[in-house]
Amino acid sequence: MADHEADRRFAAESVVEPDHIARARAAALELGAAPISAEVGTQAAVVAAASAALNIVEIGTGAGVSGLWLLHGSPRATLTTIDSEPEHLGAARQAFADARVPPARARFITGRAAQVLPRMNEASYDIVFVDADPEGVIEYVEHGLRLVRAGGTVLVPRVLGGGAVSDPVRRDPITAAYRSLIQETQSSSAVIGALSIVGEGLLQLTTVAPDPR
């Protein structure tokens, strides 16, 4: 166990966060909008880069840290980000402006994800990043899998629930939802799933393209 903790610490300390994202992180912490860790941010950026993402949806804007990481990986992408907190969206707009993200590359939507997502076009996005209220994580992932194209990816950070998911004693609804999400997607034939335990955890779900035969 000590070796695993040393590995986690080394992974965290090895990340070099770009200055504009570090500034957004500081603003997020001051606002109380808990940002994703830099370790998870780098993984999200790698997925965005590897998939050459051009259209990204983010459920839960926070103060812009995760969105900036996604655009760091794919600077040509257009990001649509949804949050119900106007103050968070305002901070994210400022962070994007400070980072010189062109206005055309970011679309900010104020509203509850459960009401916004059903109106969005299915199979139209390369990545859906789910970082909203954990009570709705399963519903949001279902929407995400509908919205991404074949071969697109849904990313779910914080999926380890701060260590609760691996604790068999914890059976509260949120922990149970995360645990169920991980177990069901790992055994699904509709997605290829991988769970990273770096940082606060990141579940990666890539949809399987239909067999052309």
Side-chain angles (χ1 to χ4, degrees):
M1 184 65 70
D3 289 343
H4 291 168
E5 288 305 315
D7 289 343
R8 283 173 175 265
R9 187 165 55 253
F10 178 81
E13 293 173 351
S14 69
V15 175
V16 178
E17 190 163 57
D19 289 344
H20 67 282
I21 302 181
R23 290 193 297 270
R25 178 178 302 283
L29 292 172
E30 184 176 345
L31 183 62
I36 59 168
S37 67
E39 305 98 277
V40 168
T42 58
Q43 292 183 64
V46 166
V47 172
S51 59
L54 293 177
N55 293 290
I56 301 172
V57 174
E58 179 183 45
I59 306 170
T61 308
V65 173
S66 50
L68 289 174
W69 269 116
L70 289 162
L71 292 178
H72 180 67
S74 189
R76 294 177 57 237
T78 297
L79 175 74
T80 298
T81 185
I82 306 164
D83 204 293
S84 60
E85 295 289 340
E87 189 177 12
H88 291 181
L89 285 165
R93 286 178 187 274
Q94 186 60 55
F96 278 49
D98 291 345
R100 298 184 179 178
V101 174
R105 295 284 185 222
R107 177 187 178 207
F108 299 88
I109 298 178
T110 305
R112 297 188 63 81
Q115 297 172 346
V116 175
L117 294 172
R119 302 198 299 268
M120 301 183 76
N121 294 330
E122 63 182 52
S124 299
Y125 300 91
D126 302 300
I127 294 173
V128 175
F129 190 87
V130 180
D131 189 23
D133 53 293
E135 294 86 353
V137 65
I138 291 179
E139 178 185 359
Y140 299 150
V141 169
E142 289 174 348
H143 278 297
L145 292 172
R146 178 183 65 83
L147 294 177
V148 292
R149 59 172 174 76
T153 300
V154 176
L155 298 174
V156 190
R158 311 182 205 270
V159 75
L160 296 176
V165 169
S166 61
D167 183 353
V169 176
R170 293 288 297 271
R171 298 182 181 276
D172 59 276
I174 292 175
T175 300
Y178 278 134
R179 194 177 288 137
S180 175
L181 175 64
I182 294 168
Q183 293 171 342
E184 291 183 13
T185 53
Q186 290 296 303
S187 61
S188 172
S189 60
V191 298
I192 297 173
L195 174 62
S196 168
I197 62 171
V198 173
E200 62 273 35
L202 180 68
L203 182 62
Q204 305 166 65
L205 305 171
T206 297
T207 58
V208 177
D211 190 334
R213 292 176 297 176

